[in-house]
Amino acid sequence: MSNTIAVDCWLLSSGVSSFTSTSKLYFPANFSRTAHFGSNTIRASATTNGSSEGVIYKALSCGRRALLSMITLPLVMLCERINSSVGAIAADESFRLREEIRKVLSKGKAAGVLRLVFHDAGTFEIDEKTGGMNGSIVYEFDRPENKGLKKSLKILDKAKSQIDLVQSVSWADIIALAGAEAVSLCGGPSIPIQLGRIDSMVPDPEGKLPEESLDATSLKQCFERKGFSTQELVALSGAHTLGSKGFGNPTVFDNEYFKILMEKPWLSSGGMTSMVGLPSDRALVEDDECVGWISKYADDQSLFFDDFKNAYTKLVDTGATWKKAL
């Protein structure tokens, strides 16, 4: 007498369509097992004295893998669909925010908005783990270095109030996105911005922004404490091409800042040229390491755009506190 166990699996390209087993029990314990996979058959047998035993590891293992695939594949597909949906929602939210910001932003207001970004995010310090892009600027308008920035915030408040009617958005997100839009509006690079920053409820520590009177060495040390390299310092300084600092067209974002720095017009006697730039701008061109990057950006606007985009993204992400992903 024998015990026969038959296992039939049909593996299709899409997975397992069925799994069946039949078992008939006989004594003594001599038995045979047969597994069918398509046209292939694997047979094993055993005797009561243990002299021989065949085990269909390959067949059973294949069956387990097929069943596991049948279970996990739909879950993987579901996760992919969820991630795709989350990405689409984020893209739609970013589009709506940018649309409202464009309604209140103009080229003439771009420099002030971009300055707002730098003064909110520029307070970050690595060692102290304080500051960063957190919207705390709304509590800091009484500080001398932030003079005039309240006007830029009021411009963005019009956009924020409209957005908040649909979905609440943080000041940190609005300011970061508005700065990117200001650059793009004036002809600069398009900068993608991740959303989800959480606003601080208190002001950042004072005295963390780089002073306008710093020399190049002090500037590099200041930016190093914030996690930025000399190259990133020079690239971000290129934002001064906007506004009334004397670096070309005040409403065009280009590489004129670097070209004019290389010319050192402030060395000319008298006239308006002596008023070009801040002391910290002029200091950069007296430093060999900074001059290397200034020269490159003066010769290659595309390189400047790429490096500014990366440095700006780092600036508005560094130190930010983010909403937890669902």
Side-chain angles (χ1 to χ4, degrees), residues 112 115-123 136-153 203-210 212:
R115 180 170 169 248
L116 187 68
V117 176
F118 278 70
H119 282 234
D120 189 32
T123 55
S136 66
I137 190 72
V138 302
Y139 307 113
E140 301 161 3
F141 292 124
D142 59 335
R143 299 177 182 178
E145 65 268 26
N146 294 332
K147 183 179 179 180
L149 286 178
K150 193 171 185 178
K151 183 178 179 181
S152 296
L153 191 83
D204 286 338
E206 296 188 50
K208 301 303 180 182
L209 291 176
E212 296 177 356

Side-chain angles (χ1 to χ4, degrees), residues 70-88:
M70 182 176 65
I71 295 170
T72 59
L73 183 58
L75 294 177
V76 172
M77 293 175 67
L78 177 60
C79 289
E80 289 177 349
R81 288 175 184 172
I82 291 174
N83 290 336
S84 178
S85 297
V86 170

Side-chain angles (χ1 to χ4, degrees), residues 216 219-220 223 228-238 284 290:
L219 277 172
K220 290 195 290 186
F223 273 73
F228 289 87
S229 66
T230 298
Q231 175 258 320
E232 291 167 328
L233 157 63
V234 175
L236 289 172
S237 296
L284 293 177
C290 292

